[in-house]
Amino acid sequence: MLPEGATGGRAQPAIRIFGRWARGPLLPAVRLWRRNLQLRVVASTLLLSLAVVLVLGVVVIGQVRNGLLDAKRQIAQSQAEGGFAVAAERAAAPDATAEGTGPAGDPGTWLTGLVSQLASGGQGVYSVVALSSDLDDSRFGSDGIGGPRGPRASSDIRPEQSISLEMREAVDASPELHWQYGTVVRQDGSTQPALIVGKRLSDIHGNNYQLYYLFPFTQEDESLSLVKTTIATAGVFLVVLLGVIAWLVVRQVVTPVRMAARIAERLAAGRLQERMKVSGEDDIARLGESFNKMARSLQRQIQQLEELSRMQRRFVSDVSHELRTPLTTVRMAADVIHTAREDFDPVTARSAELLIGQLDRFEALLADLLEISRFDAGAALLEAEPTDLRTVVRRVVEGAEPLAERKGSRLVVLGDAWPVRAEVDARRIERVLRNLVVNAIEHGEGRDVVVRLSEGLGEDAAVAVAVRDYGIGLRPGEAERVFNRFWRADPARARTTGGTGLGLSISLEDTHLHGGRLEAWGEPGGGSQFRLTLPRTAGSPLRESPIPLVPDDSRAARARAQALAQARAVEVTAGAGAATSAPGAVPAALPHLLPDAARDPGRDPARDAGTVHDGQDGGKAAGRRPEEDGHDR
């Protein structure tokens, strides 16, 4: 909740630092909690058990407390009523109960003797307090002959501080017995909760006074503390016992699951003979039996598939090798016929030309099948050596120029002004690029085909080659299937270049042999782009590709650029001087739509200078761009 224009830049680093500091110690615990089912079950059981014990403890302690209070109140009222009856009898017969006082005796002495007599039977159980009443003019501490001298108490308590004003007013208001939970104040200042029972009485002269019984909760506190201690001890033992029981029970379930997970990992690693140990006839045992049956079935099916795959690979390899001998003989005979075709009639001469073309395609198919069989058998070897990819690209482009001339396309090479070196098998990379370029020409609808080279910064950076066409493109989902063997985007489309349907599959295998990536992108009617990314050094990890897979001139990129340009125009029109860039400046959101030279001011523009191979006139011009061709993109 920042004010308008505020960025919160000072607070964000502090928040991030605190987040990292707090997250560091918690990550191992969170990871352990998420990965350990037994820990989660035991912890949940402990927490729930603790909650249940706490609730039961509160309920039990509350019931015990209420029971102790009720019993205390009944006993206290019974004892107090007996004392009040004794006090009333002594006041009614003072000559018999207050020896030496007589009817004209001192009420203070009588009251002191009464308090001592009543408290003598409850040493340590209760205390007796006598206070004056506000209903009479006589007060404690008065000098009158008939009035009491002050408050009386049977022990070291402070009478007036121990009895509340509300209690005294209630006793004066009604002659009935009254009780209240209060606090006893000792002479040393200590306090203790107690039950106070009081009643208004009359002394030997008929003056009103208040007599109270104070019952401290000493024994009840001890009993309640004992109950609390007992419940806490029993609760702790119960929670620990439930945790141990939960751990043992969950262990019986989790152990087979963990064993199944380990066996599954071993099966996934290729150790198909692994099985679970099964004991008993319970649900876990049935689970283990089912798992073992599944493993045996998978092993049997995988072995069948492996055997079938081996038979297929061997069949393809054997057939390819066996067909070479008759193919060589047929080739020799076809060459003889093709050489003498001028002496034949037109139909026979055309048949000889078709025979040679189909033999070339047959030989290419056999070569691809042999290469595929080597990849399937794991016999393909990589002969990597430092190579300038510009040389490979130039050979591919020169070899594809006749096809581009027939199709009316131009071959444009970008990024070949500087060396792009990498440790590769030049023969395999040339085959990959030839397949990509030929496919781009075949599906380019006579428009430009752009081959772009680029390399990342640093010794371990990757190098990349992208082939872009502006033809029929790819529909959603076809970019993942385009590398399948014999897959065609449009089965009704005739092959005009004599392809075998295995080119991209072999290209993908060659790329994987280098530890690289071969990826495809396309949009219907907007062309496609194939990107080959290779590590600069053979065997090193592959870094991020220096060429984006989605080209800058795609429809989505152009739409974003147009929207940003319109937003920019609106900002300038609105007069946002702070947001207006200097002449020639590039908006922050546009660099990915501009050429490399505009993105990187320190880069030499000559590095991205391109070479255009025009298939229509066979000429070459340096520095031309596909936009200069005039084709509709």
Side-chain angles (χ1 to χ4, degrees), residues 150-208:
R152 271 71 171 176
S154 63
S155 58
D156 59 340
I157 61 175
R158 298 178 181 178
E160 294 180 337
Q161 286 81 6
S162 299
I163 309 301
S164 65
L165 181 61
E166 294 79 7
M167 183 69 173
R168 298 185 64 178
E169 291 176 352
V171 170
D172 281 340
S174 173
E176 302 296 331
L177 183 142
H178 298 273
W179 63 272
Q180 184 186 50
Y181 294 115
T183 302
V184 174
V185 181
R186 303 289 181 183
Q187 293 293 338
D188 57 0
S190 62
T191 60
Q192 185 179 9
L195 175 63
I196 302 174
V197 181
K199 189 176 183 181
R200 176 164 54 84
L201 300 171
S202 300
D203 60 6
I204 56 176
H205 287 173
N207 297 322
N208 294 320

Side-chain angles (χ1 to χ4, degrees), residues 446-467:
R447 296 184 176 90
D448 291 352
V449 174
V450 181
V451 182
R452 182 177 179 182
L453 296 90
S454 183
E455 61 180 356
L457 301 178
E459 294 295 332
D460 295 335
V463 298
V465 181
V467 179

Side-chain angles (χ1 to χ4, degrees), residues 53-333:
V53 169
L54 288 177
V55 172
L56 290 178
V58 171
V59 172
V60 171
I61 291 174
Q63 294 293 332
V64 172
R65 179 175 176 274
N66 293 334
L68 292 175
L69 290 178
D70 291 341
K72 184 71 172 181
R73 186 174 63 253
Q74 294 176 2
I75 295 174
Q77 290 179 355
S78 176
Q79 291 181 349
E81 287 177 353
F84 296 152
V86 171
E89 292 177 358
R90 292 195 59 181
D95 54 342
T97 56
E99 185 177 328
T101 60
D106 183 9
T109 304
W110 176 86
L111 189 59
T112 301
L114 176 64
V115 170
S116 300
Q117 180 182 356
L118 295 178
S120 61
Q123 294 294 333
V125 177
Y126 57 85
S127 300
V128 179
V129 173
L131 297 177
S132 62
S133 175
D134 293 337
L135 299 179
D136 292 332
D137 294 336
S138 59
R139 294 291 182 268
F140 289 155
S142 63
D143 294 333
I145 298 176
R149 295 289 182 180
R152 271 71 171 176
S154 63
S155 58
D156 59 340
I157 61 175
R158 298 178 181 178
E160 294 180 337
Q161 286 81 6
S162 299
I163 309 301
S164 65
L165 181 61
E166 294 79 7
M167 183 69 173
R168 298 185 64 178
E169 291 176 352
V171 170
D172 281 340
S174 173
E176 302 296 331
L177 183 142
H178 298 273
W179 63 272
Q180 184 186 50
Y181 294 115
T183 302
V184 174
V185 181
R186 303 289 181 183
Q187 293 293 338
D188 57 0
S190 62
T191 60
Q192 185 179 9
L195 175 63
I196 302 174
V197 181
K199 189 176 183 181
R200 176 164 54 84
L201 300 171
S202 300
D203 60 6
I204 56 176
H205 287 173
N207 297 322
N208 294 320
Y209 70 97
Q210 299 176 352
L211 186 63
Y212 296 95
Y213 276 77
L214 286 72
F215 296 89
F217 291 119
T218 304
Q219 296 180 353
E220 287 72 18
D221 286 341
E222 294 177 356
S223 300
L224 193 60
S225 299
L226 179 60
V227 172
K228 291 181 179 179
T229 304
T230 304
I231 292 178
T233 304
V236 170
F237 279 107
L238 180 61
V239 170
V240 173
L241 183 60
L242 289 177
V244 173
I245 293 174
W247 183 81
L248 292 175
V249 172
V250 175
R251 181 180 176 84
Q252 295 180 1
V253 179
V254 172
T255 300
V257 174
R258 291 176 177 174
M259 184 184 301
R262 288 194 296 268
I263 299 299
E265 292 175 355
R266 295 172 186 173
L267 290 175
R271 301 170 62 179
L272 302 178
Q273 71 281 0
E274 293 290 337
R275 297 292 184 270
M276 287 184 61
K277 295 182 180 180
V278 179
S279 60
E281 299 178 357
D282 54 5
D283 295 336
I284 300 299
R286 289 196 295 271
L287 175 62
E289 289 288 348
S290 301
F291 186 90
N292 291 338
K293 290 180 181 179
M294 179 190 68
R296 285 192 293 269
S297 178
L298 288 176
Q299 182 181 13
R300 183 171 57 255
Q301 294 179 9
I302 291 175
Q303 288 175 351
Q304 292 175 355
L305 291 176
E306 289 178 349
E307 183 65 24
L308 179 60
S309 178
R310 284 194 297 267
M311 292 176 61
Q312 290 177 343
R313 291 197 300 266
R314 185 170 182 177
F315 173 77
V316 171
S317 179
D318 292 344
V319 169
S320 302
H321 283 89
E322 293 297 331
L323 287 178
R324 281 193 171 276
T325 300
L327 179 62
T328 303
T329 304
V330 175
R331 163 65 71 178
M332 293 173 61

